[in-house]
Structures are given as structure tokens and as C-alpha cells.
Amino acid sequence: MGCLVSTPADTVGSRRRPGNIGEVSVFVPGLRIPNPVDFPESLGDHLPKSLLERLSAYRTRIVVMAAQEAPTITRTRRKSATQHGGSTLADLLQALEDYLPVVLGLVKDASPLQHKVQFVWVNQEDEEEETAMFSAWYEVLSVLHLMATLALSQANLVLLPRTSSDGHQPKVSEESRKSSIDLFLKAAGYLDCAVRNILPQFPAELRRVLPVDLAEGNLRALCLQALGQAVDIQLGLAIDSSKATLAVKRRLACEMVKCWQQAQDNIMNLPLTNGWGDKHKLFIKWKYIEAKATAYYYHGLILDEGNTEKSHCMAVAALQAADEFLKESKKACEAFSAAVPISRNPPLWGTMKFLMEKIPKDTSSKVRINKDLYTYEKIMETAPTLPDFALALKPDDYQLPVVDPSWNDEAINKGANKLKG
């Protein structure tokens, strides 16, 4: 049960360093790409030819599709979003879902076959270009991670604003926003399953040498990122709804802060040193600051509904905090966009389009109205503590599929038992 880390120059899958990844609504590190595996060579003495051919066919399809998709997934364009891009991602996701029940047979009943095949995947955020392990659980973990990044990539495509038929500002339809929430929860479900059910299968020595792409902190950060962006979309829908109260909007904004804070806590100490990793950290930092601006804004509006001098003073302090975080978020956004690989922000829409206009305006108004009542020192008091709400949104309850029935063959069980003996 060994691990080999290498950086060969001549491989089917290789790490790509794009200079520009286009417009980004949802940041996804480049795809981890699988390299070919010779199942007959490793398992020819233990499995029937038909099963070896199925394993080979399913995985070869993924190797080819992932290698083709990787260059395009990091250069998002609206053209790919509206034509073939979304369906290509969906096809690759389906290929992975078809492969999982078959490859899970290698770990069925703690079979020793799980240590017979060396699986190789190209990393994106780790210092090493690729990681190879004699571990079928490493293969399963890598598959789930790729499924999650594909779902996040699909969410990015549907959240890129489209030019409307009436020629007005590009926007994201309500249908697309609701569709993105489903994709975020699906991605979070894959990652949550990886943390809860797959990582515990690794002995301590193997967990220590997993690439940083698959480190627990990174998996948790990606999961929380997906939840945070789903809550952001929920808030945008609430802002557009006449039925949503200020209390509902504040709660969603505070939940969003919690998601991004926990994501930052999970990722900040990971050795993410190359371009993708640095940019990933900057994305989470930017979204965390942006979420705090949003939460302080709605908290300030609710505090301002109070009838006491203290509540009005706290409201002004909260709104000023929102304004400061908004200014800081603009700088964080610029730092993220400028980091290699360079990216662009799509035209403003949703929550931030609304708040970019409202926060400076409402803050200026409240300070001007209250300037005769409160001293500068009172207004500049420390911003009030944000309310603490439990996260209402949960990842999809994704369960690993049942092992493919082809593994029930008696001859297969005999082959595995010989290894145990």
C-alpha cells in the first residue's frame, strides 16, 4: 500500500497553466486529470476478462474526456455556456457516475485488490504535478472531487450573465439562479461524502501524503464555498422578492458570512503555493469580505428600526462597517482578478449589483441625518456583533452507489480470496 509522487514530463494528462481564464462567477481550480491505467496488467490474474474490459472502457472514456475538457473549462466563454459547454460537462459527470459502481468493486469487503492497481492523477493546487497511489480509495476520492469541480463549473456557466433580447444590461435569469443552487448543493454533497465516508478509509500514513487538492481542509473549504455561493443566490432571490423581510435577508447574509469564514479557516493554513492555490485563497478572502459587507448592511437597517439613541448609533456603526467592507471587497476582487491565471468579473448582477448602489447611499444618508445627534467618536464605535445563525442550507445527502452486480460473480470472489489467503 505505497504512494509514489512523481512529475514526469511525458504523460497523457499534464498540468496546464492557462494565462487567462475569462469570466468567473464561481471559481474552480483546474481539473485534476486521470492518467491511463493498465487494468489487465495489474488484475489479469484475478478478474475475468469481461470485468477488466468494463473497468478499462469506463476509465479510458474519462481519461479522454477529462483531457479534452480541461483546457476549455479554464477559459470560460458565454459561447460555451450557451452551446456545447454545459452538455460536455454533464457528459463527463455521467461518465464518472457510470464508472463509480464498477471501480467500487475493488474495495468491496475490504478486498486486497484495492492495493493492486496504481492510480495516477494530475494535481492542480499541489506543488507536485501528479500523485500516484496503489489505492482504489484514492481513485474513488479523486472521482468524487472531479464530480464536485464539474458541478461547480456547471454553476459558473449558468451564472454568467446573458444579454437580454431587449438589449438591456446582461443578466442572469431566475431559472438559471435556481438551477445553480441545485448544482452548488450537488457539489457540496459530493465533497461532504468524500470527507465523511472516503477519507476515513485511508490509513494515517496515506492521508499525510495525499495531494493538497484532496486534503481534508481543501475539501471542506470547497464544500463551504459551494454552500456560501448557494446562500448568496438565495439572498439575491430574496432581494428581488417583495415578500422577503429584512429579517430574512439579514439571516441569509449572516449565514453567508459563516460559510465563507469557515471556508477561510479550513484553507488558510494549507500549503497552496502555486497559481491555482493562491488564486483559490484570494477568491475565498474576497467573498468573505463581501459577505461581511452584506451582513452589516442588513444588520444596520434592522438596528435602525429601533427607537433608542443607542440603536440608531449602532445602526450607523454597522452601516459604516458595511461601507468599509465594501471598499475592502473591491480591492480583494481586484487582487483575485489580477492573480495568475488572470480572470475577469462578469457584469454586476444580483446581490452585489444591488448593494454596490445601496450601501454607500444609505450609509451617507444615515450619517448625515444623525450627525447633529452623535459625536464622531460615537459613530465610529466598534461595529456591533453580527447575529449568529445556524446554517439552514445543507449539502445534498449523496451516497456512494451500490457496487456493480458484475462483481457478484463467484469466480471474482475466488480470485480475491486467493489474495487474502
Side-chain angles (χ1 to χ4, degrees), residues 5 31 58 63 106 118 144 170 172 199 223 234 263 268 349 358 362 386:
V5 178
L31 294 187
Y58 279 130
V63 168
L106 291 174
Q118 186 184 52
L144 284 180
V172 179
L199 282 182
C223 180
Q234 285 185 322
M268 63 187 303
W349 61 275
K358 293 292 289 181
D362 288 356
L386 291 171

Side-chain angles (χ1 to χ4, degrees), residues 305-327:
E305 291 179 340
N307 295 318
T308 66
E309 179 180 332
K310 181 179 180 182
S311 67
H312 286 299
C313 190
M314 290 174 67
V316 171
L319 289 170
Q320 288 199 315
D323 196 42
E324 289 303 312
F325 281 125
L326 186 66
K327 294 172 184 173

Side-chain angles (χ1 to χ4, degrees), residues 187-378:
Y190 296 143
L191 295 160
D192 186 56
C193 176
V195 171
R196 289 186 297 104
N197 300 326
I198 310 304
L199 282 182
Q201 306 296 333
F202 286 81
E205 65 271 17
L206 274 192
R207 283 188 70 162
R208 283 194 293 269
V209 293
L210 282 170
V212 72
D213 304 57
L214 302 180
E216 181 175 350
N218 209 1
L219 297 176
R220 289 187 183 277
L222 270 177
C223 180
L224 288 157
Q225 171 184 328
L227 292 178
Q229 296 206 259
V231 177
D232 190 2
I233 300 299
Q234 285 185 322
L235 177 57
L237 293 169
I239 289 171
D240 290 345
S241 170
S242 60
K243 297 179 181 179
T245 64
L246 272 181
V248 167
K249 295 170 189 174
R250 180 179 67 173
R251 177 177 182 125
L252 288 170
C254 289
E255 287 183 29
M256 193 161 57
V257 170
K258 180 172 282 189
C259 285
W260 289 110
Q261 180 179 11
Q262 291 179 7
Q264 182 163 281
D265 289 345
N266 274 284
I267 205 172
M268 63 187 303
N269 294 321
L270 293 177
L272 297 168
T273 54
N274 65 56
W276 282 120
D278 288 336
K279 197 169 182 73
H280 194 179
K281 282 184 174 179
L282 288 171
F283 181 76
I284 289 177
K285 178 183 178 182
W286 163 35
K287 289 298 178 180
Y288 178 34
I289 297 169
E290 196 174 78
K292 285 193 284 188
T294 307
Y296 275 110
Y297 173 71
Y298 283 111
H299 190 39
L301 293 185
I302 287 181
L303 288 170
D304 196 49
E305 291 179 340
N307 295 318
T308 66
E309 179 180 332
K310 181 179 180 182
S311 67
H312 286 299
C313 190
M314 290 174 67
V316 171
L319 289 170
Q320 288 199 315
D323 196 42
E324 289 303 312
F325 281 125
L326 186 66
K327 294 172 184 173
E328 193 179 339
S329 77
K330 291 177 183 177
K331 296 176 183 177
C333 174
E334 291 170 1
F336 164 74
S337 298
V340 179
I342 296 169
S343 59
R344 298 192 313 277
N345 290 320
L348 273 178
W349 61 275
T351 305
M352 290 317 297
K353 184 177 190 306
F354 175 79
L355 294 179
M356 284 288 185
E357 300 168 359
K358 293 292 289 181
I359 290 177
K361 180 180 177 182
D362 288 356
T363 301
S364 174
S365 172
K366 295 299 178 188
V367 171
R368 186 173 63 252
I369 291 171
N370 292 284
K371 66 180 180 181
D372 296 329
L373 297 175
Y374 310 122
T375 64
Y376 176 82
E377 288 73 18
K378 276 189 175 182

Side-chain angles (χ1 to χ4, degrees), residues 6-16 31-38 59-71 120-124 129-130:
S6 59
T7 56
D10 186 19
T11 56
V12 172
S14 61
R15 183 149 62 186
R16 291 166 171 80
L31 294 187
R32 294 187 76 244
I33 308 168
N35 278 347
V37 166
D38 190 340
R59 199 175 192 281
T60 299
R61 183 182 175 212
I62 292 167
V63 168
V64 172
M65 292 178 71
Q68 290 174 343
E69 189 63 22
V120 186
W121 286 72
V122 175
N123 303 314
Q124 293 296 347
E129 179 166 329
E130 65 179 38

Side-chain angles (χ1 to χ4, degrees), residues 161-180:
R162 316 267 192 270
T163 302
S164 57
S165 56
D166 56 12
H168 289 154
Q169 282 278 351
K171 60 183 179 180
V172 179
S173 69
E174 182 175 332
E175 180 184 356
S176 292
R177 286 186 280 172
K178 289 180 177 178
S179 175
S180 75

